[in-house]
Amino acid sequence: MAERYKDHPALLVWHVSNEYGNYCYCDQCAAAFRKWLQSRYGSLDELNDRWSMRFWGHTYTDWSQVETPTKNGERSMQALLIDYDRFQSESILDCYRAEAAVSARDHAKRPHHN
């Protein structure tokens, strides 16, 4: 679409999606969240310490034990909720940047908005 309409005289700006903000808890997002946590904390010991898991008697021994905060998952751990918000925020921003890059790559003369 960007290629076809890039020089159309009625085109003033590129609109990048405005439907951001819905959180996802699918298996793909859960796996990405675990990778995000591994990158952020480096080890399960660090995650357990930062989230005060030993205090709550809930120590992770494998990354696969970390679930997203769904209705069926853990919802009482504030650190988990906050980090999932951070993860989702970064994921949504990455999605926006990827979409904006498609039109900006070859058509930088038009401004972008969302």
Side-chain angles (χ1 to χ4, degrees):
M1 187 171 77
E3 184 62 34
R4 179 175 180 180
Y5 294 107
K6 68 179 182 177
D7 295 317
H8 194 281
L11 180 65
L12 299 177
V13 298
W14 288 110
H15 175 76
V16 181
S17 183
N18 65 346
E19 298 294 329
Y20 298 114
N22 295 327
Y23 281 12
C24 181
Y25 304 96
C26 72
D27 291 341
Q28 184 176 345
C29 285
F33 178 52
R34 289 183 198 103
K35 282 186 173 183
W36 184 88
L37 290 171
Q38 288 173 334
S39 176
R40 183 173 176 88
Y41 295 108
S43 71
L44 283 170
D45 284 337
E46 184 67 14
L47 176 91
N48 286 320
D49 287 343
R50 295 295 242 3
W51 284 10
S52 300
M53 297 304 283
R54 288 176 185 88
F55 176 81
W56 297 107
H58 186 136
T59 303
Y60 293 116
T61 58
D62 189 86
W63 289 105
S64 66
Q65 296 170 334
V66 180
E67 296 181 6
T68 61
T70 62
K71 290 181 182 178
N72 295 330
E74 182 67 70
R75 300 246 354 128
S76 62
M77 299 301 301
Q78 293 302 312
L80 168 66
L81 297 172
I82 290 168
D83 269 349
Y84 200 72
D85 283 346
R86 290 174 177 144
F87 161 73
Q88 284 291 307
S89 180
E90 287 183 23
S91 297
I92 291 167
L93 182 57
D94 288 344
C95 180
Y96 168 81
R97 287 178 176 149
E99 289 181 4
V102 170
S103 59
R105 181 179 51 230
D106 299 319
H107 316 294
K109 64 183 179 182
R110 305 276 192 212
H112 294 78
H113 79 89
N114 69 338

